[in-house]
Each structure stands twice: as structure tokens, then as C-alpha cells.
Amino acid sequence: MIPVELIRKKRQGEALTPDELQYFVNGYVNGNIPDYQMAAWLMAVFFRGMTESEMKEFTRVMLHSGTVVDLSSIPGIKVDKHSTGGVGDKVSIILAPLVAACGAPVPMISGRGLGHTGGTLDKLESIPGFRTDLDIPTYKKVIEKIGVVMIGQTKDIAPADKKMYALRDVTATVECIPLIAGSIMSKKLAEGIDALVLDVKTGSGAFMQEKDQAIELAQTLINTGEAFGKRTIGYITDMNQPLGNAVGNWLEIEECIRCMKGEPGNDLMEVTYRLAGAMIYLGGRSTSINKGEGMARKAIESGAAFEKFLQLVSEQGGDISYIENPSKYKKARYSEEVMLGGEGTVTTIDNHGVGLAGLVTGAGRRKIGDSIDYTAGVVIHKKIGESMQKNESIATVYGNNRDGVQDAVQRIRKAYRLSDQKVQPPKLIYGMADKDGYKDF
Ligand code: URA
């Protein structure tokens, strides 16, 4: 085959055959197709899309570019969750041990921060000693022993995605439904799951800012999961403001610890309970999503979820004394309150701006390979619909770099809009999709 002809074919809006997809994607992984040809093809896909069967084949080729883990020797229906990413989205850290505490095994492969969004791996690695780079035999041992494991994409898991993802990140080809679907589903199908719950975010801090796009992405992901024989359901959830209050790695772990210890619930826990209910149901541990949600609430109240989290941290090399006593963690050198100087109700938050504020404190990366300041980030005190008085603090910014902290303060100030009108907070969970379609709540 001639690579340039396959690029031309896609540029003209035609579908590639399974053999052509295999040739092109595998050629890229083994170095026969250079970055510039793959970049041109990705941009052609960005504009021309893929047919449903083409997307399924594309996912299959990406999946089989590496190892497909077999967890069939481990009893139970293995279930995972995937979020399309957001600001302050720390759900996985609570959800994985919570669902495992309710009896459904959770093998989870997560990602790093991307652009303005945070990543579960970076958050977990802020726990001293915690290792996310387990090899596949150890990954299997941990899930077998404690029912939950949380690692990063190894070199063996969907290497085509790993290489293409890095290229998409620098060629403006991330926000493309068939490419996102192939990327997410190849990783998820490789980890050995039987069922999957998706959290597709929409709003100013999400990759899919419009709800209609989020629904389309959810349905594409669901169709792909079901085509591979995995029961898949998805929720469309709000990302117009950070989930919970903390944005930044250790700050988010601290918030998760408080939630797992049963601190009065907030929006973070409402989303977590719903996703947990769906996972417990798909994992065969309850007869309905609502009953699963009830089980999840009890596992937080009883301390079972927190206990499972301690086991997870300890099993993956983390120092549990920081989980038992988070106040012993080192503190950022600088902290600054953000004042708006006005009063009124918070009407909107540019959540992309809040994500970037977190990034410039040192909590995220400006370029691949940058190191992360785990103590840095932002804690917001006011959410949409809440009123505030003059000189009340809207957020606290933390960091070890004074300029970064100042930059973040300005970004947070710009991100908030106040008015003297009352506004309702945005809906938290807009609706649910499964193989039969989407329903608004
Ligand atoms: N997350 C992924 O894993 N892949 C994408 O393409 C987008 C978000």
C-alpha cells in the first residue's frame, strides 16, 4: 500500500478498509509511517470523520497494537469507569475503592493531565511512594488480592494510542469524536473489563463543550463498547465549574480523603454515587442502579470504602500514614486569597480558565515531561448560584512559585462573573445513554 494514497482517500471522505487501517496504524507504531504522514491523516479524519464500521475497525487495530489483558481467571464481572476529563474531576480516586468495597472488581487504567484538565495518575502519584507503573502480572495480582488496581497505560497497552495521542496533542486533532472513541475504547478494552460506565463531561471545562456533542460522543463510545461485547452505559455530567472544590493533585487527594471519611456530601459525591450505582449494577452486585447507589452510600458511611482505599494505597507502595493523617503532608510555600471586590451571585465560571489557573500554579504541565508541584493548585470557595459579600474570598491559590500564584489569581478573577440576579446552579447530571439511546433527566 502507498501511504499517501490512504491519506488522499481519507481526505476525499472515503472509508478505509480494515486492511488499510491495519497497514497505516501498525506502520505508524513500528516506525514505517512517519509523524508527518500520520498527522496529515489525523487531520483528514478530523474533517471527514469515520463511518461506524470504520471506527470499529480502527478501535480493533489500536486495541491489538498491544497486549489485551485476560482477567477471566479472576471471579466476578470486572467493571471500570472512564471520564472524558475535566477540572477537579477526582471521581475515580473515590469511585474505584468504593465500588470494589461493594464487591465488584475494578481494574482501572488512567491517564495523566491533558491541557487544562487534571489526570488521575498525577493525583495518585502525589501520595508519597504510590506506584502507578505496575507491570501486567503485578496489575493482575493486585486486583486478584484486593479487588481494585489503578495504573497508567504501560508500553504494552494500546501502544498505537500512546503514540498517536502524543501526536494529536500537538497537531490540534484531539477534539474529534472517532479519534477520541478509538483512543478511549482501545485502552479500556485492553485492560480486561467486562463492563464500562462512561462519564462524558460537557461545559466550559470539558473537551465537548456543547451537550449535543457530548451525547454524540457518549453514543459513539457506547456503540463501540457494545460492538466488542462489553455492556456500556454513559452519563452526561456538568463541567461548567470544578467538581468539588479542589483543583491540584494533593489538594484533590485530601478532598477525596475527607469525602471517603464521610464528610457531608457535595456535587462530587453526588456524581460519584450515581456512577458507583451504575458500576455496582453492571458488576452484578445490585438489581438496579438505584440499589447500587444505596449500597455505595452505605459503604462510605460504614468506612468500608476508606478501608479499601487504604489497602489500595498500601498495595501499590504508597505511605498510608499520609492518608490517615493528611495534615503531615508538606505545604506550598505561598498561598493567596482571591478577592473580586464586588458582591452578588456567581452566575458563570469559565472553567477552562480555572483549569489553566491550576496549571500555572505548577499543578499541571506546560509541555511533555514537565515535573509537577503536587502541593500547588486552587481551592474554590464559591460555586455557581452562591452569593458572596464584598471582600469575601472566592478561592485560595497555592504554589511554590510566586509568579505562578499571581498569574493564577488573575486567571481566577477573570473566570468568575457576578450579578445581582439570582441564578440556579447548573444541573449536575443531564441524562443517561445506553445502547437503546439517550434520555434526559
Ligand atoms: N481521553 C483519551 O484517552 N483519549 C482522547 O482522545 C481524549 C480523552
Side-chain angles (χ1 to χ4, degrees):
M1 289 182 205
I2 302 170
V4 71
E5 290 306 314
L6 302 185
I7 299 169
R8 181 173 289 118
K9 191 171 177 185
K10 183 42 67 189
R11 191 195 69 193
Q12 298 308 107
E14 289 172 52
L16 267 57
T17 65
D19 284 350
E20 289 170 337
L21 284 166
Q22 200 164 355
Y23 168 81
F24 204 77
V25 172
N26 289 344
Y28 182 58
V29 178
N30 63 34
N32 290 337
I33 305 274
D35 277 349
Y36 56 83
Q37 286 188 313
M38 180 52 91
W41 185 78
L42 290 169
M43 192 55 89
V45 175
F46 186 93
F47 284 113
R48 293 305 207 147
M50 282 186 182
T51 64
E52 211 172 308
S53 61
E54 192 182 12
M55 199 160 52
K56 194 171 141 199
E57 279 313 311
F58 174 60
T59 306
R60 192 189 306 281
V61 173
M62 303 260 283
L63 167 66
H64 291 292
S65 67
T67 307
V68 180
V69 182
D70 180 5
L71 296 181
S72 57
S73 60
I74 294 165
I77 301 171
K78 274 70 70 185
V79 59
D80 189 12
K81 181 255 351 181
H82 187 84
S83 155
T84 54
V87 180
D89 180 3
K90 51 197 81 80
V91 166
S92 292
I93 290 155
I94 306 171
L95 187 66
L98 170 57
V99 172
C102 294
V106 184
M108 192 177 269
I109 295 184
S110 304
R112 299 205 175 273
L114 178 69
H116 67 286
T117 67
T120 300
L121 286 188
D122 298 322
K123 296 171 203 187
L124 287 171
E125 286 174 2
S126 73
I127 301 169
F130 195 101
R131 286 192 49 205
T132 60
D133 61 348
L134 308 185
D135 57 19
I136 300 298
T138 315
Y139 166 81
K140 281 185 167 177
K141 263 191 222 134
V142 176
I143 179 126
E144 195 160 12
K145 185 167 172 199
I146 62 166
V148 57
V149 62
M150 298 179 85
I151 64 163
Q153 187 176 8
T154 69
K155 63 178 179 9
D156 308 313
I157 299 280
D161 171 62
K162 204 166 183 183
K163 195 166 174 193
M164 279 165 68
Y165 198 90
L167 187 64
R168 286 169 58 211
D169 202 18
V170 291
T171 55
T173 48
V174 170
E175 304 92 334
C176 168
I177 288 180
L179 297 179
I180 295 178
S183 163
I184 291 178
M185 295 310 289
S186 59
K187 280 179 292 221
K188 291 286 134 179
L189 295 166
E191 67 189 11
I193 50 164
D194 303 304
L196 180 64
V197 175
L198 298 159
D199 180 7
V200 180
K201 304 273 181 211
T202 184
S204 60
F207 287 120
M208 296 287 127
Q209 298 208 341
E210 302 302 327
K211 188 175 149 205
D212 287 351
Q213 288 179 314
I215 295 172
E216 191 187 336
L217 174 59
Q219 283 182 320
T220 306
L221 292 166
I222 289 165
N223 291 343
T224 313
E226 295 281 342
F228 282 85
K230 313 291 172 194
R231 279 192 78 188
T232 310
I233 61 177
Y235 288 90
I236 308 296
T237 68
D238 186 67
M239 203 12 86
N240 281 300
Q241 56 186 338
L243 198 52
N245 295 83
V247 179
N249 301 286
W250 175 255
L251 296 171
E252 294 191 40
I253 294 285
E254 256 189 324
E255 185 173 19
C256 291
I257 293 171
R258 287 196 300 273
C259 289
M260 280 186 271
K261 282 185 160 170
E263 201 169 87
N266 57 15
D267 55 351
L268 166 64
M269 285 314 287
E270 287 314 302
V271 172
T272 305
Y273 284 135
R274 181 61 59 93
L275 297 171
M279 288 173 75
I280 293 164
Y281 168 65
L282 287 188
R285 296 286 161 172
S286 70
T287 51
S288 70
I289 295 176
N290 281 347
K291 286 192 178 141
E293 203 174 316
M295 284 170 70
R297 287 180 194 273
K298 284 203 187 102
I300 291 286
E301 279 160 27
S302 69
F306 185 60
E307 193 51 45
K308 188 56 79 181
F309 182 61
L310 287 172
Q311 273 178 30
L312 172 73
V313 171
S314 156
E315 209 55 46
Q316 294 198 210
D319 182 344
I320 58 168
S321 68
Y322 289 94
I323 308 301
E324 288 167 329
N325 178 14
S327 63
K328 74 180 249 195
Y329 204 82
K330 60 185 180 295
K331 306 272 177 295
R333 181 151 10 133
Y334 305 107
S335 71
E336 191 149 332
E337 301 302 324
V338 186
M339 307 291 193
L340 293 183
E343 58 183 34
T345 304
V346 179
T347 52
T348 57
I349 300 175
D350 166 17
N351 205 16
H352 185 96
V354 176
L356 290 179
L359 188 149
V360 300
T361 61
R365 297 182 185 81
R366 289 172 193 261
K367 56 181 190 320
I368 296 171
D370 276 358
S371 62
I372 284 195
D373 177 354
Y374 292 130
T375 60
V378 177
V379 177
I380 63 159
H381 308 308
K382 295 287 174 184
K383 300 191 86 160
I384 298 171
E386 286 184 48
S387 59
M388 58 174 301
Q389 306 301 315
K390 217 173 179 174
N391 295 329
E392 238 187 310
S393 165
I394 208 147
T396 311
V397 176
Y398 298 91
N400 289 296
N401 174 313
R402 199 195 296 268
D403 292 343
V405 169
Q406 288 308 324
D407 186 358
V409 168
Q410 296 311 323
R411 286 173 190 270
I412 300 279
R413 297 188 78 202
K414 274 200 211 122
Y416 271 77
R417 288 278 170 280
L418 297 183
S419 121
D420 50 12
Q421 309 284 312
K422 287 267 167 277
V423 293
Q424 288 300 317
K427 220 170 164 174
L428 199 51
I429 305 178
Y430 294 104
M432 188 194 130
D434 62 15
K435 62 181 180 350
D436 299 322
Y438 171 77
K439 276 188 223 73
D440 249 326
F441 287 148

